[in-house]
Amino acid sequence: MAFSITQQPFGAYTEYVIQYTETGEGLIVVPGHGGVIRKLVLKKSGSAPTPDQPDGLVSLLRVADNPEALRADEAYSSALLFPFPSRIKYGIYRFDGEAYTLPFNDYGRDNSIHGLVHPKPFELVGQTISEQAASLTLAFIYTGEVNGYPFPFRLEMTYTLALAEGDNLVLSLDFRATNTGITRAPMAFGWHPYFTLNNEPVDGMSIVLPTDTSITLDEDLLPVGRKPFPYSGPLSLHEKSLDNAFLVLPEQTGAETVLHAPAINTSLHVWQDSSLPYLVVYTPDRRDSIAIEPLSANVNAFNNGEGLQVLEPGQSMAGHIKVWLS
């Protein structure tokens, strides 16, 4: 069978390797550290070997490459963001007439950031292999132990590597979050990957964003309004720093961000379905990667309500993200 799922030690962690053995494409997932994808390697269909890429493989994620660095990482590399992505002002919000205060972890700005599940351990709950795909399903159970968020939930993540048209491989991330408590609960989801294309300099790349609306952020990176986004085609990243939120253009099925590296004639596609109508794009100061973050809700959604899901007991929210090369 062309697909395989194996496990191997990674310091104190056990990580799972999903691989398409015919080409060496695949990903590595670390359930014990927030369920992060630690490595993702793909190739574009029909790509010919080059001196720099004799196997045609392209490394796509910037994540710590040893256990100590992974534990010390404060950049949320590849993190799952739940039950809220991005920032909540001062960690304070009101829900159903009650005031709540979340722990500060955005220390430079005195906010709460990126939820409660990273880097908590996830449990492996399923895996499947067929001739066309291999998938791994993880789950995190939260019982409401944080005073600022007393709403139990189950977050389930399925990572699938599958053959698509033209023998391209596509990585899919499917999330399902269920309110397991006895009261209504506010919830939102995001993913925080730092993408690279074989370490090509960000300044040599361009990006096409599926938006015509930029969300205006204040000095604390909290939303204060909206304005038109003037770029409808490729936006050069040469000497351009981004830390921006966007409202994704509504499409029937979803929206696609394209990152292009002309030096290796390769494009990365990040597709998010209609359950994820927001996007954050961030270029770190080190200029070695770019964060492309699909979100189900706006920054500070627990206060502004933009995109926020309110789930009744037993109700679920779900969404779908895809990544591939061309």
Side-chain angles (χ1 to χ4, degrees):
M1 194 168 285
F3 286 95
S4 68
I5 300 177
T6 57
Q7 53 183 282
Q8 61 191 26
F10 184 63
Y13 302 112
T14 297
E15 59 183 17
Y16 288 78
V17 182
I18 304 175
Q19 190 170 54
Y20 185 58
T21 56
E22 291 189 4
T23 61
E25 294 167 90
L27 64 149
I28 297 176
V29 181
V30 189
H33 189 84
V36 300
I37 301 175
R38 188 178 69 81
K39 186 175 183 180
L40 175 62
V41 179
L42 297 176
K43 64 186 296 184
K44 59 181 183 178
S45 180
S47 58
T50 67
D52 294 332
Q53 299 169 269
D55 52 12
L57 296 176
V58 180
S59 178
L60 297 181
L61 285 178
R62 176 74 65 182
V63 184
D65 58 5
N66 64 73
E68 294 74 22
L70 189 67
R71 280 192 293 270
D73 177 36
E74 296 181 353
Y76 288 85
S77 303
S78 200
L80 304 173
L81 314 178
F82 192 84
F84 61 91
S86 297
R87 294 170 173 82
I88 295 178
K89 187 174 184 178
Y90 305 134
I92 297 171
Y93 67 99
R94 295 188 66 86
F95 180 72
D96 280 354
E98 298 289 332
Y100 298 95
T101 302
L102 291 156
F104 285 176
N105 57 347
D106 184 22
Y107 302 109
R109 297 182 175 87
D110 293 336
N111 299 312
S112 293
I113 193 171
H114 290 342
L116 302 173
V117 306
H118 183 77
K120 304 291 177 55
F122 280 61
E123 176 187 358
L124 176 67
V125 296
Q127 54 183 306
T128 62
I129 302 175
S130 70
E131 293 293 339
Q132 297 296 314
S135 67
L136 197 70
T137 300
L138 311 178
F140 178 78
I141 308 298
Y142 173 75
T143 58
E145 57 268 27
V146 176
N147 288 336
Y149 191 84
F151 308 107
F153 62 78
R154 173 188 173 94
L155 176 63
E156 192 169 277
M157 294 296 307
T158 298
Y159 304 99
T160 303
L161 190 66
L163 284 169
E165 293 181 12
D167 290 334
N168 247 27
L169 280 179
V170 176
L171 168 67
S172 295
L173 290 81
D174 290 275
F175 75 88
R176 176 170 292 275
T178 302
N179 177 359
T180 56
I182 60 173
T183 66
R184 299 187 340 143
M187 296 185 183
F189 176 86
W191 181 41
H192 200 290
Y194 287 88
F195 286 111
T196 180
L197 289 165
N198 267 0
N199 300 315
E200 284 294 314
V202 168
D203 285 288
M205 297 184 187
S206 64
I207 192 168
V208 178
L209 296 169
T211 184
D212 61 5
T213 304
S214 176
I215 295 166
T216 306
L217 304 177
D218 65 14
E219 59 186 12
D220 292 319
L221 300 180
L222 294 162
V224 292
R226 298 178 181 180
K227 62 183 180 182
F229 183 66
Y231 302 97
S232 59
L235 170 64
S236 171
L237 295 175
H238 181 67
E239 296 184 351
K240 183 175 289 294
S241 294
L242 297 174
D243 197 349
N244 298 78
F246 302 96
L247 181 64
V248 172
L249 278 170
E251 299 287 347
Q252 242 183 354
T253 58
E256 184 178 318
T257 301
V258 182
L259 179 68
H260 181 60
I264 58 173
N265 191 28
T266 300
S267 294
L268 167 75
H269 302 256
V270 181
W271 181 91
Q272 57 199 84
D273 75 4
S274 56
S275 73
L276 298 149
Y278 292 86
L279 180 69
V280 167
V281 180
Y282 168 57
T283 50
D285 292 340
R286 59 185 184 269
R287 308 293 293 172
D288 63 352
S289 59
I290 180 169
I292 300 172
E293 308 166 37
L295 310 177
S296 70
N298 196 4
V299 181
N300 201 28
F302 275 22
N303 286 304
N304 59 41
E306 295 176 5
L308 186 67
Q309 296 278 319
V310 176
L311 302 187
E312 299 292 338
Q315 190 176 10
S316 297
M317 62 180 290
H320 184 60
I321 302 167
K322 296 188 294 187
V323 178
W324 71 94
L325 289 181
S326 68

